[in-house]
Amino acid sequence: ATFTVPSRSVLIEQLCPLDREVSVEVLNHGDRRWVLAVTDKALGPAPYFAEMGHLIPSRQTGRADLGEVAMAACAAIGLDRGIAHVEVRFEDGQPPQVIEVGARTAGDGIPDLVELALGIPAYELHVRSYLGSLGAPPPAKPAGVAGLAVLKAAPGRIRAIRQPARLDPAIVNYELHAEIGAISEVPQSYLQREGYVQLYWPGAQPAELAADAHLAVADELAGQLFEVEPIDQPAGMESVGRPG
């Protein structure tokens, strides 16, 4: 009911033990497929693994097996048009595992990050495929690193939302969903977000930035934005937590 799913059935899957995740944006058109971008995913703590941030281009962009397994997954279920958002778990020394194939463009503004960082007009290519007017996608023109990170207040009741005193120069924009009086909780899904911040480091290479650079900017901004008063938390839910 929380996610407005009408079915009452339950699908149970084996937990994937691989501890790192990327998403692969695959453009499908007929029997042709292209990998447009690979995105590094930052996840919240187990057992929910809520998505906390994205960075493009991924540090794993050169790994052929990630793109290959994503395109094979699209072919296996017969996707023949438009962009698919494929999520893949991996670990050194282990074959990658597909955990989701979304026959849709990615959420969290990832197509915008693809265009900002790589110069690839993902939404346009998606529409052109559905209109039957798609040629080969343009080659990537890396221009920097783009990212998005979730804004999380500390656990408790939001008492005030303040204007930030300073903004990190990488911030492109940010948006808040939370209101005064709202309860900030440990993230279990996208429903426990107070907002997001979009970032861009022009001319940067992924290896030049810390893997959690976007999360650090989001945490610093959230600390300026939100004044929180503590409330009683259920056992085991005392900390928002960030991935290591």
Side-chain angles (χ1 to χ4, degrees):
T2 299
F3 296 96
T4 66
V5 176
S7 173
R8 296 189 179 189
S9 60
V10 175
L11 174 65
I12 299 177
E13 299 182 8
Q14 182 179 358
L15 176 67
C16 178
L18 306 183
D19 61 1
R20 300 166 71 188
E21 185 174 319
V22 295
S23 65
V24 185
E25 314 314 317
V26 177
L27 177 61
N28 304 276
H29 193 67
D31 60 357
R32 295 181 294 166
R33 306 181 204 285
W34 301 269
V35 172
L36 299 183
V38 180
T39 305
D40 284 331
K41 317 289 279 190
L43 305 178
Y48 306 108
F49 308 110
E51 293 186 353
M52 304 302 294
H54 319 282
L55 278 179
I56 296 176
S58 165
R59 294 175 181 230
Q60 310 301 323
T61 297
R63 279 191 59 159
D65 58 342
L66 299 177
E68 289 168 357
V69 74
M71 290 190 289
C74 291
I77 60 175
L79 298 186
D80 61 359
R81 70 195 69 192
I83 290 176
H85 177 67
V86 185
E87 296 181 348
V88 179
R89 285 283 184 96
F90 68 100
E91 192 175 288
D92 292 341
Q94 300 289 331
Q97 295 187 23
V98 173
I99 60 170
E100 177 184 325
V101 181
R104 56 172 176 79
T105 55
D108 277 352
I110 287 176
D112 298 307
L113 303 181
V114 171
E115 187 159 6
L116 186 59
L118 301 177
I120 297 175
Y123 285 124
E124 179 182 343
L125 296 173
H126 184 69
V127 172
R128 286 188 179 278
S129 178
Y130 272 85
L131 293 176
S133 62
L134 179 70
K141 297 179 179 178
V145 176
L148 180 138
V150 170
L151 291 172
K152 277 299 305 172
R157 181 178 288 104
I158 298 175
R159 182 163 53 193
I161 299 177
R162 302 183 294 258
Q163 192 76 12
R166 63 171 294 276
L167 292 176
D168 189 283
I171 293 176
V172 175
N173 60 67
Y174 69 90
E175 182 173 321
L176 302 183
H177 311 314
E179 299 178 348
I180 294 173
I183 304 300
S184 174
E185 301 175 299
V186 173
Q188 300 180 22
S189 71
Y190 65 88
L191 297 176
Q192 287 81 36
R193 298 176 174 184
E194 278 69 74
Y196 70 85
V197 57
Q198 186 181 6
L199 305 117
Y200 182 52
W201 292 270
Q205 299 291 324
E208 298 172 0
L209 298 175
D212 64 348
H214 52 328
L215 306 182
V217 173
D219 283 345
E220 195 274 337
L221 178 59
Q224 294 189 68
L225 289 167
F226 303 114
E227 181 181 331
V228 178
E229 58 186 7
I231 58 174
D232 291 336
Q233 294 281 334
M237 302 287 281
E238 294 83 5
S239 173
V240 172
R242 286 288 195 187

